[in-house]
Amino acid sequence: MKHPAKKIALLGLCTAIAMVLAWVEIQLPPLVASVPGIKLGLPNIAIIFILYRFSWKEAAAVSFVRIVAVSLIFNPATLPYSLAGGFLSLLGMALLKKTDLLSTTGVSVAGGVLHNVGQILMAMLILSTAGLGYYMIVLAVTGVVSGIFVGLCGSFAVKRVRFR
């Protein structure tokens, strides 16, 4: 992208879209009422898009800003969990994208699972208990399902959205 101002504007727009998707997700009823904390990860559609259309650096910046802003606006207690999940997810997705072994959807699935791993590890650290590890079984399944959905949406955006 030749114009830095245009790039900043597009990344700002992606940040806003990610924040709106986070708000939409908060408004949705729980996916599985008996299992707390399961979400689709809608904001990650924007992160996948940025990862593939810009770079991991821009994706990390937008992810960080979105996580901090959404946590501070809606529920500050979620900040350490969201940061841990977002960091591990983005790290894994960036490394897997670099290998070119997986599709956009495959990279997103890995990101969904790694996001849950990061959150569980942070919860285990904060609560000083390894007993939460069993919860990873459920979150791995939901991470795969949500990762497929997010990856398909992100892949569609990467293919269809053009900049002028």
Side-chain angles (χ1 to χ4, degrees):
M1 185 158 292
K2 292 181 181 180
H3 304 303
K6 185 176 181 180
K7 181 179 178 181
I8 290 170
L10 288 168
L11 292 172
L13 181 61
C14 288
T15 303
I17 289 169
M19 290 178 68
V20 168
L21 289 172
W23 176 81
V24 167
E25 190 169 77
I26 289 167
Q27 303 308 309
L28 295 174
L31 293 176
V32 182
S34 62
V35 185
I38 294 177
K39 297 180 185 175
L40 281 173
L42 296 178
N44 293 318
I45 295 169
I47 303 307
I48 288 285
F49 176 78
I50 296 165
L51 183 62
Y52 278 85
R53 292 301 296 269
F54 292 96
S55 78
W56 70 268
K57 292 175 188 175
E58 285 88 354
V62 168
S63 182
F64 178 77
V65 169
R66 192 267 312 165
I67 287 169
V68 170
V70 168
S71 292
L72 293 177
I73 292 168
F74 296 110
N75 188 354
T78 64
L79 185 60
Y81 305 99
S82 296
L83 284 173
F87 172 76
L88 193 57
S89 173
L90 187 62
L91 177 65
M93 289 191 304
L95 291 172
L96 286 170
K97 178 189 175 282
K98 198 172 196 176
T99 68
D100 242 0
L101 294 174
L102 298 175
S103 67
T104 306
T105 302
V107 168
S108 176
V109 167
V113 173
L114 287 170
H115 193 290
N116 292 336
V117 169
Q119 288 185 320
I120 287 292
L121 290 174
M122 181 57 70
M124 290 167 65
L125 180 69
I126 289 173
L127 300 172
S128 298
T129 180
L132 293 174
Y134 75 92
Y135 196 47
M136 198 53 232
I137 297 166
V138 173
L139 292 180
V141 172
T142 61
V144 168
V145 173
S146 63
I148 291 170
F149 176 76
V150 166
L152 290 172
C153 293
S155 179
F156 179 80
V158 168
K159 291 176 186 168
R160 302 285 183 193
V161 175
R162 299 283 174 234
F163 305 125
R164 294 184 190 256

